[in-house]
Amino acid sequence: MAKRKTSPASKNDTKVAAIVILLFVAAIVLFFIFSKGKESQQVKISAPSEEAVEPTVRVQSSVPVETLKPVVESPSEEETVTPEAPENLSGTGGKIAFILDDWGQTTTNCKYLKEIHEPLAVSILPGLRHTKDVANCAKLYHKVAMLHLPLEALHNYDFYPPNYIIKTTMSPSLVSKIVDGDLAQLPSIEGVNNHMGSKATGSRNLMKLIFKKLKKRGLFFVDSMTSPDSVCTTLADEVGLTFGKRDVFLDNVNTREAITKQIMVLAQKARHRGYAVAIGHDRHVTMQVLKEEIPWLEKQGFEIVSIKTLLKNR
């Protein structure tokens, strides 16, 4: 049987079909390559998600007290969410006292005690590397020095050396020994406020013992108000101790915007009642905002006074 001859037209058709198929395959490959390139570009420029942020992990350590960085206990009141405040508070204002906690770890912010000429109170933790240095700095720049007395919290996950924090389970003799030792480190102090203490300030027996010792030494006490169940107000009246309590925490949110907003809330409280007490901390942002905002408060008619003066002349 004779072989069938392939015509030239048939050969050309086959070549054309092959070329079309190759071009089609090439187009598909290029399309996928191009699409992948766009996807990779989008991943690179997109903002990271919150899940990508590494969480902070608390690690319990056995560091000595002088290297300890105490953590502020959260407030019990409304300071974490504050109302909007007006931008202008013109007119005669009340008296405002500032207390700044947690000093003693460093002397870095002592420069602000010189730069801020208005009265401030510096509350110093005992047993830290620069406890006495900060007290000397406060004295040099005519600021009120206070003891920031460590008291037991309801919840505390940070390491503290034995007998550094006064606890409700301690014997009266041990409590007296710790208080006397803390006061001995700071002979120039004029008052005391509590570091943490959401559990301790609810104990009548413990706080009465402490208040009697402070009364005997002629010191005042300011309740930092870390607990709504604090018994300090009624006990201070019973003992006859000069007493006050915190109205506003300035820097639970440690940003310039949040601190400025809290100062506005403080001003509202001072204008409404005639006085207000603010507590902040030994932080650069806090000190810088105070340096900038205190002159504004004075222009609005508020008087910045020491906590000692405020408690005596309310």
Side-chain angles (χ1 to χ4, degrees):
M1 184 176 180
K3 290 185 179 180
R4 185 178 178 181
K5 292 183 179 180
T6 304
S7 67
S10 178
K11 289 183 179 180
N12 288 338
D13 290 341
T14 303
K15 289 181 179 179
V16 170
I19 291 171
V20 169
I21 292 171
L22 287 173
L23 288 174
F24 180 76
V25 171
I28 293 174
V29 171
L30 288 173
F31 174 79
F32 279 109
I33 292 173
F34 181 74
S35 299
K36 279 289 183 180
K38 289 187 72 175
E39 287 178 7
S40 64
Q41 285 182 343
Q42 289 175 351
V43 171
K44 288 179 181 178
I45 64 174
S46 62
S49 66
E50 291 182 359
E51 293 178 353
V53 179
E54 184 177 354
T56 301
V57 179
R58 292 183 182 273
V59 179
Q60 192 176 44
S61 68
S62 56
V63 293
V65 66
E66 64 267 16
T67 60
L68 182 66
K69 190 65 174 178
V71 176
V72 181
E73 189 173 8
S74 298
S76 61
E77 298 186 359
E78 73 283 353
E79 278 71 27
T80 52
V81 179
T82 55
E84 292 295 330
E87 293 185 3
N88 194 329
L89 292 167
S90 59
T92 303
K95 293 179 171 60
I96 292 175
F98 291 100
I99 300 172
L100 299 165
D101 287 348
D102 289 359
W103 292 75
Q105 181 75 15
T106 175
T107 58
T108 301
N109 288 328
C110 280
K111 64 179 181 179
Y112 287 108
L113 302 184
K114 179 181 180 181
E115 295 171 0
I116 299 173
H117 302 294
E118 291 80 3
L120 297 174
V122 178
S123 195
I124 310 166
L125 284 160
L128 299 187
R129 181 175 298 161
H130 294 288
T131 292
K132 293 182 179 180
D133 295 330
V134 173
N136 291 335
C137 186
K139 184 177 181 180
L140 178 64
Y141 298 121
H142 310 290
K143 304 299 191 255
V144 171
M146 298 173 61
L147 168 64
H148 198 33
L149 185 65
L151 297 178
E152 186 178 10
L154 286 168
H155 306 286
N156 173 42
Y157 304 103
D158 299 294
F159 172 81
Y160 287 91
N163 297 339
Y164 186 76
I165 296 175
I166 296 174
K167 298 182 178 181
T168 55
T169 54
M170 289 179 171
S171 66
S173 60
L174 180 55
V175 172
S176 294
K177 181 180 179 180
I178 295 172
V179 173
D180 289 341
D182 290 347
L183 293 173
Q185 296 178 43
L186 296 163
S188 62
I189 65 165
E190 300 179 67
V192 176
N193 75 325
N194 52 296
H195 172 62
M196 303 191 302
S198 56
K199 184 173 183 178
T201 55
S203 170
R204 286 184 57 85
N205 291 337
L206 176 61
M207 296 312 299
K208 191 169 186 178
L209 172 60
I210 293 172
F211 280 8
K212 284 183 176 180
K213 295 184 76 64
L214 301 185
K215 167 72 173 177
K216 189 174 181 180
R217 291 173 179 259
L219 302 172
F220 63 82
F221 184 86
V222 175
D223 188 350
S224 300
M225 290 301 295
T226 56
S227 170
D229 300 320
S230 172
V231 298
C232 291
T233 301
T234 54
L235 272 180
D237 288 339
E238 290 179 19
V239 175
L241 179 69
T242 303
F243 174 83
K245 58 184 180 180
R246 184 269 311 162
D247 295 298
V248 173
F249 268 128
L250 296 176
D251 51 7
N252 279 321
V253 180
N254 190 28
T255 66
R256 175 180 291 272
E257 181 182 7
I259 296 168
T260 302
K261 186 176 180 180
Q262 288 300 89
I263 288 176
M264 302 296 286
V265 174
L266 175 70
Q268 285 184 321
K269 290 179 181 286
R271 186 179 302 287
H272 176 72
R273 191 177 59 189
Y275 68 90
V277 178
I279 289 182
H281 297 89
D282 174 23
R283 299 172 183 164
H284 169 74
V285 176
T286 302
M287 300 303 295
Q288 185 63 39
V289 172
L290 286 180
K291 181 182 175 181
E292 296 167 2
E293 295 298 327
I294 283 177
W296 177 85
L297 286 169
E298 292 178 318
K299 288 179 182 178
Q300 302 302 314
F302 294 94
E303 183 182 359
I304 311 303
V305 299
S306 73
I307 183 64
K308 182 178 180 180
T309 299
L310 188 147
L311 295 181
K312 285 185 175 181
N313 301 303
R314 283 183 295 183

